[in-house]
Amino acid sequence: MAAPHTVDDPDDPRLRDYTDLTDVELRRTREPAEGLFIAEGEKVIRRALGAGYAMRSMLLSEKWFAAMRDIIEGAGAPVYAVTPELAERVTGYHVHRGALASMERKPLPDARELLRTARRVAVMESVNDHTNVGAIFRSAAALGMDAVLLSPDCADPLYRRSVKVSMGAVFSVPYARVTAWPAGLEALGGAGFDLLALTPDEAAVPLGEAAARLGPRVALMVGAEGTGLSRRALAAADLRVRIPMAHGVDSLNVGAAAAVAFYAVR
């Protein structure tokens, strides 16, 4: 096995990719600008590598050497061995899963290219909570969605929290950002998709009824927690649909609602 480099200085410049991971605003700006993202834990690191992302480096504690022997040997990137205490000083939190990897981002595909072969597409507008983004990607992967489209202000699917919550599913479903919003949604109609907008509005069609008469290509759009879809996004949709609620509950968390809707249109 290739020998990891032991590092005992939290200010070592080789660890720069891992500094201040709890500073959300800093990392949201810095990671895309520098073309990197952080994968946390053995499963997520393996899934990132399996999806073709190149590793920049890896940071791990000694007890993980044996479990990740094959990754260390095939990484082609430096591996830094640190104590749990030093890892916490560098990152700003206790690294429970014992291993972090800095990965290279890939260029995002064009939305029209994704639509060329997809049949079921998830669309997110202004979903800016990383936990919700990760949950939606996990459901999209599990329930057979072929692609995800994001409005310009959606949270980064490759931010550490999104990746962790999705259990690496962000690597399984291709995604693209729609830069002209919501005008860019016209590409869905041009590609033969029916665009459904998920809303709690009682005037909307119950999802089960709508699902029974869908065409071969369907896009399902969800909005931010609390505010839901904007008026402009709703106006761009072909049909507004709702999940019928009981016991006086007005709506579900957007992650849960997306999972129900993905199942209904799969």
Side-chain angles (χ1 to χ4, degrees):
M1 180 174 65
H5 306 283
T6 299
V7 179
D8 54 17
D9 180 3
D11 296 320
D12 191 310
R14 293 176 295 177
L15 305 185
R16 185 178 182 278
D17 283 0
Y18 306 96
T19 57
D20 301 315
L21 293 186
T22 57
D23 189 330
V24 178
E25 290 305 317
L26 172 65
R27 300 300 303 199
R28 289 168 72 171
T29 303
R30 179 182 159 197
E31 289 183 12
E34 297 183 11
L36 67 93
F37 69 92
I38 299 297
E40 180 177 2
E42 180 185 358
K43 287 183 179 179
V44 172
I45 292 171
R46 290 186 182 279
R47 287 172 182 170
L49 291 170
Y53 289 92
M55 183 183 290
R56 293 161 61 106
S57 67
M58 188 159 58
L59 181 80
L60 75 167
S61 55
E62 185 175 357
K63 71 175 184 178
W64 286 88
F65 288 179
M68 306 193 74
R69 177 185 296 269
D70 58 320
I71 295 178
I72 294 171
E73 291 178 343
V79 177
Y80 302 120
V82 298
T83 64
E85 294 75 20
L86 188 133
E88 184 169 354
R89 290 179 65 187
V90 171
T91 63
Y93 73 104
H94 180 63
V95 185
H96 299 283
R97 297 178 184 269
L100 296 169
S102 174
M103 313 295 295
E104 293 279 1
R105 290 178 181 248
K106 300 177 184 179
L108 288 182
D110 179 75
R112 293 179 185 274
E113 181 62 24
L114 286 187
L115 298 179
R116 197 168 55 81
T117 56
R119 295 175 62 83
R120 292 292 184 270
V121 174
V123 183
M124 291 189 233
E125 182 193 42
S126 305
V127 180
N128 48 30
D129 181 276
H130 293 100
T131 298
N132 285 334
V133 168
I136 292 170
F137 263 92
R138 187 172 185 180
S139 295
L143 297 171
M145 305 303 280
D146 301 312
V148 176
L149 299 184
L150 307 171
S151 70
D153 55 349
C154 272
D156 180 10
L158 293 183
Y159 180 72
R160 179 176 58 89
R161 181 66 179 166
S162 300
V163 173
K164 184 176 180 180
V165 170
S166 80
M167 288 300 294
V170 294
F171 311 135
S172 303
V173 185
Y175 69 92
R177 288 200 182 267
V178 179
T179 54
W181 188 270
L185 293 175
E186 294 175 358
L188 288 161
F193 281 85
D194 293 322
L195 177 58
L196 277 55
L198 194 62
T199 171
D201 187 346
E202 283 296 320
V205 178
L207 183 57
E209 293 180 19
R213 57 177 191 264
L214 292 177
R217 304 185 112 185
V218 176
L220 185 68
M221 182 165 52
V222 298
E225 190 78 22
T227 58
L229 292 167
S230 68
R231 290 182 180 179
R232 294 193 304 156
L234 288 168
D238 298 305
L239 184 66
R240 301 182 188 189
V241 297
R242 63 180 173 87
I243 299 171
M245 299 282 107
H247 299 293
V249 177
D250 60 352
S251 64
L252 296 173
N253 164 275
V254 65
V260 171
F262 294 163
Y263 182 78
V265 303
R266 65 182 304 178

